[in-house]
Amino acid sequence: MRPTLVLAHGFPQDATVWEGTPAALHEHADVITPDLRGFGADDREVPNVLNMDVLARDLADLLDERGVHRAVVGGLSMGGYVALAFAERWPHRVQALVLCNTRSTADPVEARQARFDTAETALTKGTALIARGMMPKLLSAKTRREQPGLAARVDAMMARQRPHTVAAAALGMAARPDRTGVLRALEAPVLIITGDADELMPLPTSVAMRDAALDARLVVISGAGHLSNMERPDAFHRAIRDFLTELAQAT
Ligand code: MLT
């Protein structure tokens, strides 16, 4: 049966990061790329702390609305935290998991403190400052050199997110638990994608997830940084297409 693939975007971004993905994968899956609660065009109420579980519940509700019981659930970075929260709560609804440029571990203490600072900055100084602070770490040097327009697009997309949502999501990420155990227990296949120049999620974090999971494969995209889907969409989509083909053959 044709799978549904739902992809959650990262922080502090919106569904436009997946521009091109539904078309690139349409022969293999029905692709859903929602704005997560409070991001982009989504205007649902956002609590002061936006936990990953709330965002996972939103994905489950979205699948329910579409009459989809099991799906390939994926996300990039924060979206990966959401996908893992989904897999923890509803493992039977996960046909497969796609984790991109993300990690399964919780934040160490100093990273948690940095989240509190991010939340404070978003609320008091605005999201443009958050975008400017994050930008240097999002794209590889190669991408910045070869695609100068991409940095400006990503910067503008992050700067236009609502301060309250950005602060709430930062606090939600700080509160997330270690979900490596989810990977150890999940029987569904897992695809892990990362960029070899991802400074925010260095390669060992992806290797650790692959080693923890029961059934995982890791694709490392050369020349890509943290936004591997936007930096090398050709290689990114090929990795997902190959995985979906493998899934179809196995069922
Ligand atoms: C993201 O891209 O979603 C963020 O870098 C995730 C994080 O800050 O942990």
Side-chain angles (χ1 to χ4, degrees):
M1 207 178 85
R2 187 175 162 79
T4 294
L5 167 65
V6 61
L7 289 170
H9 60 76
F11 168 91
Q13 298 158 14
D14 62 31
T16 61
V17 298
W18 301 118
E19 200 182 37
T21 297
L25 301 178
H26 81 276
E27 282 177 14
H28 294 77
D30 294 327
V31 183
I32 311 177
T33 56
D35 280 322
L36 299 180
R37 180 179 290 260
F39 289 96
D42 187 278
D43 59 3
R44 280 172 290 186
E45 193 182 330
V46 173
N48 290 338
V49 179
L50 185 51
N51 280 318
M52 301 301 104
D53 315 68
V54 171
L55 297 174
R57 156 72 65 186
D58 287 342
L59 289 191
D61 290 347
L62 180 62
L63 293 175
D64 288 345
E65 274 166 32
R66 307 239 177 159
V68 176
H69 180 62
R70 287 182 88 218
V72 180
V73 180
L76 188 136
S77 201
M78 181 183 77
Y81 309 156
V82 175
L84 281 166
F86 185 104
E88 180 176 67
R89 176 75 180 75
W90 296 284
H92 54 285
R93 299 192 68 173
V94 178
Q95 185 180 349
L97 203 56
V98 179
L99 299 174
C100 317
N101 301 81
T102 193
R103 54 161 54 98
S104 57
T105 49
D107 284 348
V109 176
E110 60 284 8
R112 209 168 290 156
Q113 184 55 51
R115 304 277 195 206
F116 302 147
D117 297 344
T118 297
E120 179 74 14
T121 303
L123 292 174
T124 57
K125 300 189 175 145
T127 41
L129 210 60
I130 305 292
R132 208 158 311 138
M134 285 186 75
M135 260 329 288
K137 297 197 166 196
L138 292 183
L139 306 176
S140 71
K142 183 175 187 314
T143 302
R144 286 199 298 273
R145 199 169 51 243
E146 293 177 1
Q147 304 181 62
L150 183 58
R153 265 172 48 216
V154 171
D155 182 71
M157 180 253 299
M158 297 197 300
R160 70 174 176 251
Q161 303 307 318
R162 298 172 188 82
H164 175 68
T165 305
V166 172
L171 298 178
M173 288 193 288
R176 78 189 194 284
D178 185 329
R179 290 201 160 99
T180 309
V182 175
L183 288 173
R184 289 202 191 94
L186 190 73
E187 286 175 14
V190 182
L191 169 65
I192 297 161
I193 304 177
T194 196
D196 66 356
D198 187 341
E199 285 182 44
L200 291 174
M201 306 284 171
L203 188 55
T205 65
S206 291
V207 171
M209 289 196 293
R210 182 201 57 197
D211 293 349
L214 290 176
D215 175 12
R217 64 285 289 132
L218 168 62
V219 175
V220 182
I221 300 181
S222 73
H226 189 56
L227 300 183
S228 61
N229 61 321
M230 301 182 93
E231 298 181 62
R232 292 279 322 274
D234 50 347
F236 184 88
H237 293 138
R238 191 177 325 121
I240 297 190
R241 271 198 299 268
D242 289 351
F243 182 59
L244 293 172
T245 302
E246 193 190 321
L247 272 187
Q249 284 163 354
T251 48

